[in-house]
Amino acid sequence: MSSKKMGRPPSDNPKSDLIRVRVDQAILNKLDACTEKLNTNRSDVIRKGIEKMYDDLQK
């Protein structure tokens, strides 16, 4: 038997913090439209949005 663990290897940047946000249906529709257009998931779209806002504020 192998002593290695099975499964996904540990991440270099684990995403362990959870944020819950209330949105209306219009915002949810826009978020889902972005996920389809970018072929990604809601979390990635939100992360990219936060990064973009942060970068804009640093200018």
Side-chain angles (χ1 to χ4, degrees):
M1 295 254 174
S2 176
S3 63
K4 282 189 163 186
K5 288 186 176 181
M6 296 292 290
R8 177 172 252 165
S11 172
D12 292 335
N13 186 16
K15 295 165 183 67
S16 58
D17 294 323
L18 180 67
I19 299 173
R20 291 183 57 173
V21 179
R22 290 181 178 263
V23 297
D24 60 16
Q25 192 61 46
I27 295 295
L28 188 58
N29 290 341
K30 290 177 184 178
L31 178 59
D32 288 339
C34 292
T35 62
E36 288 179 22
K37 183 101 174 173
L38 298 171
N39 195 28
T40 187
N41 58 43
R42 288 176 176 176
S43 295
D44 286 340
V45 171
I46 293 168
R47 284 186 203 106
K48 287 177 184 178
I50 292 169
E51 288 292 336
K52 182 172 175 28
M53 290 296 298
Y54 182 81
D55 289 345
D56 290 349
L57 291 172
Q58 296 304 308
K59 293 180 182 177

